[in-house]
Short mmCIF file of all heavy atoms in Angstrom, two decimals:
data_model
loop_
_atom_site.label_atom_id
_atom_site.label_comp_id
_atom_site.label_asym_id
_atom_site.label_seq_id
_atom_site.Cartn_x
_atom_site.Cartn_y
_atom_site.Cartn_z
N GLY A 1 2.72 26.43 6.30
CA GLY A 1 2.17 27.74 6.60
C GLY A 1 2.60 28.87 5.71
O GLY A 1 2.24 30.03 5.96
N MET A 2 3.37 28.59 4.65
CA MET A 2 3.81 29.66 3.77
C MET A 2 2.70 30.00 2.77
O MET A 2 2.01 29.12 2.25
CB MET A 2 5.08 29.27 3.01
CG MET A 2 5.54 30.33 2.01
SD MET A 2 7.12 29.92 1.21
CE MET A 2 8.26 30.50 2.47
N ILE A 3 2.57 31.29 2.47
CA ILE A 3 1.60 31.76 1.49
C ILE A 3 2.28 31.85 0.13
O ILE A 3 3.28 32.56 -0.03
CB ILE A 3 1.04 33.14 1.89
CG1 ILE A 3 0.34 33.06 3.25
CG2 ILE A 3 0.08 33.66 0.82
CD1 ILE A 3 0.04 34.43 3.85
N VAL A 4 1.76 31.10 -0.84
CA VAL A 4 2.30 31.12 -2.20
C VAL A 4 1.20 31.67 -3.10
O VAL A 4 0.29 30.94 -3.50
CB VAL A 4 2.75 29.72 -2.66
CG1 VAL A 4 3.40 29.80 -4.04
CG2 VAL A 4 3.72 29.10 -1.66
N LYS A 5 1.26 32.94 -3.41
CA LYS A 5 0.17 33.61 -4.15
C LYS A 5 0.15 33.23 -5.63
O LYS A 5 -0.91 33.07 -6.22
CB LYS A 5 0.30 35.12 -3.99
CG LYS A 5 0.04 35.62 -2.58
CD LYS A 5 0.15 37.14 -2.51
CE LYS A 5 -0.18 37.66 -1.12
NZ LYS A 5 -0.04 39.13 -1.02
N ASP A 6 1.33 33.12 -6.22
CA ASP A 6 1.42 32.83 -7.66
C ASP A 6 2.22 31.53 -7.83
O ASP A 6 3.45 31.55 -7.88
CB ASP A 6 2.10 34.00 -8.38
CG ASP A 6 2.09 33.86 -9.90
OD1 ASP A 6 1.93 32.73 -10.39
OD2 ASP A 6 2.26 34.89 -10.57
N LYS A 7 1.51 30.42 -7.96
CA LYS A 7 2.18 29.12 -8.01
C LYS A 7 3.00 28.96 -9.29
O LYS A 7 4.08 28.35 -9.28
CB LYS A 7 1.17 27.99 -7.87
CG LYS A 7 0.60 27.86 -6.46
CD LYS A 7 -0.28 26.63 -6.34
CE LYS A 7 -0.74 26.41 -4.90
NZ LYS A 7 -1.47 27.56 -4.34
N ALA A 8 2.52 29.50 -10.39
CA ALA A 8 3.26 29.39 -11.64
C ALA A 8 4.61 30.11 -11.53
O ALA A 8 5.65 29.60 -11.98
CB ALA A 8 2.44 29.96 -12.80
N LYS A 9 4.59 31.31 -10.93
CA LYS A 9 5.84 32.06 -10.75
C LYS A 9 6.74 31.35 -9.75
O LYS A 9 7.97 31.31 -9.93
CB LYS A 9 5.52 33.47 -10.25
CG LYS A 9 6.74 34.38 -10.16
CD LYS A 9 7.37 34.62 -11.52
CE LYS A 9 8.54 35.59 -11.44
NZ LYS A 9 9.20 35.77 -12.76
N ALA A 10 6.16 30.77 -8.71
CA ALA A 10 6.94 30.03 -7.72
C ALA A 10 7.64 28.83 -8.36
O ALA A 10 8.80 28.53 -8.05
CB ALA A 10 6.05 29.58 -6.57
N GLU A 11 6.93 28.15 -9.26
CA GLU A 11 7.53 27.02 -9.98
C GLU A 11 8.73 27.48 -10.81
O GLU A 11 9.78 26.84 -10.85
CB GLU A 11 6.49 26.35 -10.87
CG GLU A 11 5.44 25.55 -10.11
CD GLU A 11 4.48 24.84 -11.05
OE1 GLU A 11 4.76 24.79 -12.27
OE2 GLU A 11 3.43 24.34 -10.57
N GLU A 12 8.56 28.62 -11.48
CA GLU A 12 9.65 29.18 -12.30
C GLU A 12 10.86 29.50 -11.44
O GLU A 12 12.01 29.21 -11.81
CB GLU A 12 9.13 30.44 -13.00
CG GLU A 12 10.17 31.17 -13.83
CD GLU A 12 9.65 32.49 -14.35
OE1 GLU A 12 8.50 32.54 -14.83
OE2 GLU A 12 10.40 33.49 -14.27
N ILE A 13 10.62 30.12 -10.29
CA ILE A 13 11.73 30.52 -9.41
C ILE A 13 12.43 29.30 -8.80
O ILE A 13 13.66 29.25 -8.75
CB ILE A 13 11.19 31.46 -8.30
CG1 ILE A 13 10.81 32.80 -8.92
CG2 ILE A 13 12.23 31.66 -7.20
CD1 ILE A 13 10.01 33.71 -8.00
N LEU A 14 11.66 28.32 -8.37
CA LEU A 14 12.26 27.11 -7.80
C LEU A 14 13.05 26.34 -8.85
O LEU A 14 14.08 25.73 -8.55
CB LEU A 14 11.19 26.23 -7.17
CG LEU A 14 10.61 26.75 -5.85
CD1 LEU A 14 9.35 25.98 -5.47
CD2 LEU A 14 11.64 26.66 -4.73
N SER A 15 12.59 26.39 -10.10
CA SER A 15 13.33 25.74 -11.18
C SER A 15 14.65 26.46 -11.47
O SER A 15 15.63 25.85 -11.88
CB SER A 15 12.49 25.74 -12.47
OG SER A 15 11.33 24.97 -12.31
N ASP A 16 14.66 27.75 -11.21
CA ASP A 16 15.84 28.58 -11.48
C ASP A 16 16.82 28.56 -10.31
O ASP A 16 18.02 28.26 -10.48
CB ASP A 16 15.38 30.01 -11.76
CG ASP A 16 16.54 30.97 -11.99
OD1 ASP A 16 17.58 30.53 -12.51
OD2 ASP A 16 16.41 32.15 -11.63
N ILE A 17 16.35 28.85 -9.12
CA ILE A 17 17.21 29.01 -7.95
C ILE A 17 17.42 27.70 -7.20
O ILE A 17 18.52 27.39 -6.74
CB ILE A 17 16.64 30.08 -6.99
CG1 ILE A 17 16.53 31.43 -7.72
CG2 ILE A 17 17.50 30.22 -5.74
CD1 ILE A 17 15.79 32.50 -6.94
N GLY A 18 16.36 26.94 -7.07
CA GLY A 18 16.45 25.66 -6.35
C GLY A 18 15.88 25.77 -4.94
O GLY A 18 16.03 26.78 -4.26
N TYR A 19 15.23 24.71 -4.52
CA TYR A 19 14.57 24.66 -3.21
C TYR A 19 15.58 24.81 -2.07
O TYR A 19 15.37 25.57 -1.13
CB TYR A 19 13.83 23.33 -3.10
CG TYR A 19 13.02 23.14 -1.83
CD1 TYR A 19 11.68 23.52 -1.77
CD2 TYR A 19 13.58 22.54 -0.69
CE1 TYR A 19 10.91 23.33 -0.63
CE2 TYR A 19 12.83 22.35 0.46
CZ TYR A 19 11.51 22.74 0.49
OH TYR A 19 10.77 22.55 1.63
N TYR A 20 16.69 24.09 -2.15
CA TYR A 20 17.66 24.11 -1.06
C TYR A 20 18.28 25.49 -0.88
O TYR A 20 18.35 26.02 0.22
CB TYR A 20 18.76 23.08 -1.30
CG TYR A 20 19.80 23.03 -0.21
CD1 TYR A 20 19.53 22.40 1.00
CD2 TYR A 20 21.04 23.63 -0.38
CE1 TYR A 20 20.49 22.37 2.02
CE2 TYR A 20 21.99 23.61 0.63
CZ TYR A 20 21.71 22.98 1.82
OH TYR A 20 22.65 22.95 2.82
N ARG A 21 18.74 26.10 -1.99
CA ARG A 21 19.38 27.42 -1.90
C ARG A 21 18.39 28.48 -1.40
O ARG A 21 18.72 29.30 -0.54
CB ARG A 21 19.94 27.84 -3.25
CG ARG A 21 20.62 29.21 -3.26
CD ARG A 21 21.13 29.56 -4.63
NE ARG A 21 22.28 28.75 -4.99
CZ ARG A 21 23.55 29.11 -4.75
NH1 ARG A 21 23.82 30.26 -4.16
NH2 ARG A 21 24.54 28.33 -5.11
N LEU A 22 17.18 28.45 -1.92
CA LEU A 22 16.19 29.44 -1.50
C LEU A 22 15.79 29.24 -0.04
O LEU A 22 15.35 30.19 0.62
CB LEU A 22 14.96 29.37 -2.41
CG LEU A 22 14.04 30.59 -2.43
CD1 LEU A 22 14.81 31.85 -2.77
CD2 LEU A 22 12.90 30.38 -3.42
N GLY A 23 15.99 28.02 0.46
CA GLY A 23 15.65 27.74 1.86
C GLY A 23 16.40 28.59 2.86
O GLY A 23 15.91 28.86 3.96
N PHE A 24 17.60 29.05 2.48
CA PHE A 24 18.36 29.93 3.38
C PHE A 24 17.65 31.28 3.55
O PHE A 24 17.88 31.98 4.53
CB PHE A 24 19.77 30.16 2.83
CG PHE A 24 20.64 28.94 2.88
CD1 PHE A 24 20.94 28.24 1.71
CD2 PHE A 24 21.14 28.46 4.07
CE1 PHE A 24 21.74 27.11 1.74
CE2 PHE A 24 21.94 27.33 4.12
CZ PHE A 24 22.24 26.65 2.94
N TYR A 25 16.81 31.62 2.59
CA TYR A 25 16.16 32.92 2.59
C TYR A 25 14.73 32.89 3.12
O TYR A 25 14.18 33.94 3.45
CB TYR A 25 16.22 33.52 1.17
CG TYR A 25 17.65 33.68 0.73
CD1 TYR A 25 18.26 32.70 -0.05
CD2 TYR A 25 18.41 34.75 1.16
CE1 TYR A 25 19.60 32.82 -0.42
CE2 TYR A 25 19.75 34.88 0.80
CZ TYR A 25 20.33 33.91 0.02
OH TYR A 25 21.66 34.02 -0.32
N TRP A 26 14.14 31.71 3.21
CA TRP A 26 12.85 31.66 3.92
C TRP A 26 13.02 31.22 5.36
O TRP A 26 12.10 31.27 6.15
CB TRP A 26 11.82 30.81 3.20
CG TRP A 26 12.09 29.35 3.01
CD1 TRP A 26 12.34 28.41 3.98
CD2 TRP A 26 12.07 28.63 1.77
NE1 TRP A 26 12.50 27.17 3.43
CE2 TRP A 26 12.32 27.28 2.06
CE3 TRP A 26 11.85 29.00 0.45
CZ2 TRP A 26 12.39 26.30 1.08
CZ3 TRP A 26 11.91 28.01 -0.52
CH2 TRP A 26 12.17 26.69 -0.20
N ALA A 27 14.24 30.84 5.73
CA ALA A 27 14.50 30.46 7.12
C ALA A 27 14.09 31.54 8.13
O ALA A 27 13.49 31.23 9.16
CB ALA A 27 15.97 30.09 7.31
N PRO A 28 14.38 32.85 7.87
CA PRO A 28 13.99 33.88 8.84
C PRO A 28 12.47 34.01 9.01
O PRO A 28 12.01 34.64 9.97
CB PRO A 28 14.56 35.17 8.25
CG PRO A 28 15.65 34.73 7.36
CD PRO A 28 15.20 33.43 6.79
N LEU A 29 11.72 33.41 8.11
CA LEU A 29 10.27 33.47 8.20
C LEU A 29 9.70 32.33 9.05
O LEU A 29 8.50 32.28 9.30
CB LEU A 29 9.65 33.39 6.79
CG LEU A 29 10.16 34.42 5.77
CD1 LEU A 29 9.53 34.16 4.40
CD2 LEU A 29 9.86 35.83 6.24
#
């Protein structure tokens, strides 16, 4: 159910930060 408007930018961010670490920040959503 998450909205990902810019997939290319999302790929860049996930490559940089990582799925697991960023997961702590989408948890409140």
Side-chain angles (χ1 to χ4, degrees):
M2 177 175 277
I3 300 167
V4 184
K5 292 181 177 178
D6 187 339
K7 288 186 174 58
K9 186 63 177 177
E11 288 183 12
E12 177 187 316
I13 290 168
L14 287 167
S15 296
D16 177 32
I17 300 172
Y19 183 91
Y20 180 77
R21 180 181 289 268
L22 199 55
F24 291 106
Y25 300 96
W26 63 57
L29 306 176

